[in-house]
Amino acid sequence: MKVLATYSIKGGVGKTTTAVNLARQAAASGSRVLLWDLDPQGAATFFVRVKPSVKGGADRLVSKTGSLAANIRATDDPAVHIVPADFSLRHLDLALDDTKHPTRRLAALLAPIADRYDVALIDCPPGITLTSESVFAAADALIVPTIPTTLSERTLDQLTTFLSDHPPAPMVLAFASMLDRRKRLQRDTLAHLMADIDGFLPTAIPNSSVIEQMGVHRSPIADFAPRSPATIAYQNLWADIAGRVWT
Ligand SMILES: Nc1ncnc2c1ncn2[C@@H]1O[C@H](COP(=O)(O)OP(=O)(O)OP(=O)(O)O)[C@@H](O)[C@H]1O
Ligand SMILES: [Mg+2]
């Protein structure tokens, strides 16, 4: 099982949207997928129409008796299961801090179910916290949605610096999120990112009103707009990621 995490220090950049659509694309290409919603907002949980619930809360989940298996739920897509979030995850950092090896805890939770899935896709909350460090230790790759603007370029730089100072680091697979090609600054910033950032993925996800409608449909866009350019972009993004992760 490969462990991928949609992650960014910045909020509102498309992490959850990416996790839910990539889960769908991975399933469509034959993988058994576990989506793990680690964000107390529970947006990924909402998008796949599952009740927000963590059995016993975040404390229990990361305790010695906690398990992911007890929290796995089915979704409308038979190849995608989810570990839903709930509001107790707002204490996840504190709960991890009470464990013996906080940065290894999420990897340890994933280990017993590794033969049941081909891909685990963790939807992370924004920020760079103890939870993030535990994600970094568990993940083979971080999928980093990056809106091509100056501040996003800066946070991507902060992330790569942090990871190079804290080895071993997962692979960083950044890509352009919510790209608006009408904006000159975005086109120019994207050109820098493609030239300067190692591993920056070639597929960009456009800023699209179809993608915004996910909140209304509560499903990945492939389910309600299968032929839209945005669906094709997620197909291509998944192909880019698979090409980097399974080589
Ligand atoms: N490509 C896109 N085009 C247009 N809107 C988008 C796109 N991607 C995401 N959005 C919208 O932007 C908002 C933020 O997206 P999302 O929740 O995926 O970001 P996030 O990084 O997970 O946010 P948070 O940091 O709060 O977890 C949502 O309203 C979503 O519908
Ligand atoms: Mg999110």
Side-chain angles (χ1 to χ4, degrees), residues 113-203:
I113 49 133
D115 57 350
R116 288 164 58 175
Y117 298 96
D118 302 301
V119 187
L121 199 44
I122 308 176
D123 184 33
C124 299
I128 184 153
T129 61
L130 189 57
T131 299
S132 323
E133 287 189 65
S134 201
V135 168
F136 300 161
D140 295 288
L142 303 180
I143 315 294
V144 186
T146 306
I147 304 172
T149 60
T150 316
L151 284 181
S152 297
E153 208 174 3
R154 185 171 165 271
T155 47
L156 183 55
D157 191 49
Q158 288 172 326
L159 172 63
T160 51
T161 305
F162 179 90
L163 291 174
S164 61
D165 291 345
H166 296 79
M171 197 189 304
V172 173
L173 300 176
F175 69 95
S177 179
M178 303 190 204
L179 173 66
D180 185 346
R181 288 195 191 273
R182 292 168 307 179
K183 293 182 177 162
R184 166 108 193 259
L185 184 65
Q186 287 211 8
R187 292 197 308 269
D188 290 352
T189 308
L190 179 57
H192 298 162
L193 289 166
M194 302 277 271
D196 300 345
I197 304 289
D198 228 20
F200 203 88
L201 299 174
T203 300

Side-chain angles (χ1 to χ4, degrees), residues 10 49 72 133 172:
K10 267 183 96 57
R49 302 167 183 259
I72 293 173
E133 287 189 65
V172 173

Side-chain angles (χ1 to χ4, degrees), residues 6 8-18 39 41 43 47 123-126 145 177-179 205-215 230 234:
T6 53
S8 168
I9 296 174
K10 267 183 96 57
V13 294
K15 296 179 290 296
T16 301
T17 305
T18 303
D39 188 334
Q41 295 179 79
F47 278 147
D123 184 33
C124 299
S177 179
M178 303 190 204
L179 173 66
I205 301 297
N207 192 309
S208 145
S209 55
V210 175
I211 295 177
E212 281 179 346
Q213 286 166 25
M214 275 176 66
Y234 282 115

Side-chain angles (χ1 to χ4, degrees), residues 18-179:
T18 303
V20 170
N21 286 297
L22 289 183
R24 176 65 161 74
Q25 292 306 329
S29 60
S31 293
R32 298 163 301 166
V33 183
L34 181 68
L35 192 56
W36 184 0
D37 189 351
L38 261 195
D39 188 334
Q41 295 179 79
T45 304
F46 172 83
F47 278 147
V48 300
R49 302 167 183 259
V50 167
K51 190 172 140 236
S53 165
V54 179
K55 264 194 179 166
D59 285 330
R60 170 83 179 280
L61 180 66
V62 302
S63 74
K64 274 191 199 138
T65 58
S67 88
L68 281 188
N71 282 286
I72 293 173
R73 299 287 173 268
T75 73
D76 293 342
D77 184 334
V80 179
H81 292 171
I82 186 168
V83 173
D86 74 10
F87 223 50
S88 71
L89 291 177
R90 73 193 188 283
H91 296 311
L92 185 56
D93 266 348
L94 292 171
L96 280 172
D97 202 31
D98 280 344
T99 66
K100 225 173 180 182
H101 301 291
T103 56
R104 287 189 243 149
R105 192 66 202 125
L106 300 186
L109 278 166
L110 285 160
I113 49 133
D115 57 350
R116 288 164 58 175
Y117 298 96
D118 302 301
V119 187
L121 199 44
I122 308 176
D123 184 33
C124 299
I128 184 153
T129 61
L130 189 57
T131 299
S132 323
E133 287 189 65
S134 201
V135 168
F136 300 161
D140 295 288
L142 303 180
I143 315 294
V144 186
T146 306
I147 304 172
T149 60
T150 316
L151 284 181
S152 297
E153 208 174 3
R154 185 171 165 271
T155 47
L156 183 55
D157 191 49
Q158 288 172 326
L159 172 63
T160 51
T161 305
F162 179 90
L163 291 174
S164 61
D165 291 345
H166 296 79
M171 197 189 304
V172 173
L173 300 176
F175 69 95
S177 179
M178 303 190 204
L179 173 66

